[in-house]
Amino acid sequence: MSLVWVPLLAPFLAVPAARRLADALAPRRAAALLVCVAAGLALCTVAALALLVVPGASYLPWVAAAGELLTPLADGPPAVTVGVSAAAAALLGASAAAVTVRLRAHRADLREARTRAGAFHGELAVVPDERPDAFALPGRPGRIVVTTAMLHALEPAERAALFAHERAHLRGRHHLLLAAADLAARCHPALRGLRAPLGYALERIADEAAADAVGDRTLTARAVGRAALAGSPAPRPRTVLAATAGPVPRRVAALLGREVGGSPAATPRLRRAVAAGLLLCLVTTGAAELSAADTLHAHIEVAQGEWR
C-alpha cells in the first residue's frame, strides 16, 4: 500500500511541468492539457485518500460485518493504520465540503450576474453602469453583458472585436473548463497552480477567435488593451470570463506577434523533455493507483478467509 502515496505527491511535480509545457503549446492544446491534468490528478487524489481510509475503517465492527472481514486490514501497527485512515477521511471530508461550497458559490455568483444583466432579450445585454465592464455570461441562452461605460470607451470596430471575443467564450463553454480546474484545486492544493495558466489559455483562444472574426489582429489587440485600460470593472463570478482578464500585455503582444518565447520550454529539446517528464509522472501516478487498489483487494480477500 506504500504506492498509494504516489498520487498524493505527484501533483507537486506534475503541475510545474504542465505549466511550463502549456506555455509552449497553442492555446487550444494548452487548455486541453491543463484541464486533463487537473481533472486526472484530482480524481487520483480522491481515489488515493479513499484507499487510505479503508484499512483503518476495517477496525469498525459494522464495516467488518458489511465486508465479511474475519480480521482487520492491518497494513502496519493498528494505531498507525487507524490514525492514517482518520486523517485521510478528514481530508476527504474537507475536499467534499470545499467542492460543495464552491459549487454553491458559483451558482450564487451566476444568479447575481444574471440579475445584474437584467431582463434583456437576445445575445447582448447592455447594463447602465459607470464602471467599464464586459463579460460572457453562460446560461441558456448565454449572453454578452456590457456596460454603457465600456461601450463609450471603445470605437465601433473595437466593440465588434470585444463582442467576438466574448462570443468565443460562450461558444466554447469555457466557463465549464475553468470551473473544472477550480473544483480540482479543492481536492489538492498543488492543483491551484493550474488555474491561472488555464485562464490565460482560454483568453488566448477567444483572442484568436475574435481576430479571425474581425479579420484584423491589430484591431483586436487594440480593443483588448483599451478595454483593460478603461477602468476597474465591477466584481464578477470567478468562472465568468472577460476580455479584460489575465495578463493583458502578454495577450496583446501575442496578438501582434511580438511575444518573446522566454520560457525554457519554448526550445524543442527541452519541450520534449518536459512533455516526457509530465507523461512519465502521470503514467506512474495511474499505475501506482491501480497497484495500490490491487494490493488492497488482495488484503480484503485474505481478511475474508479467501486466497487468490
Side-chain angles (χ1 to χ4, degrees), residues 281-303:
C281 185
L282 296 177
V283 169
T284 301
T285 300
E289 193 79 63
L290 293 175
S291 178
D294 185 64
T295 300
L296 180 61
H297 181 259
H299 287 176
I300 291 175
E301 288 188 335
V302 171

Side-chain angles (χ1 to χ4, degrees), residues 23-45:
D23 281 343
L25 295 176
R28 289 188 184 278
R29 291 185 178 182
L33 169 73
L34 293 169
V35 171
C36 289
V37 169
L41 291 178
L43 290 175
C44 286
T45 296

Side-chain angles (χ1 to χ4, degrees), residues 246-292:
V248 173
R250 185 181 174 193
R251 290 168 49 204
V252 169
L255 280 167
L256 297 177
R258 301 171 185 167
E259 186 175 32
V260 179
S263 171
T267 63
R269 180 177 297 179
L270 192 50
R271 178 169 43 188
R272 288 192 293 268
V274 172
L278 177 60
L279 180 61
L280 177 62
C281 185
L282 296 177
V283 169
T284 301
T285 300
E289 193 79 63
L290 293 175
S291 178

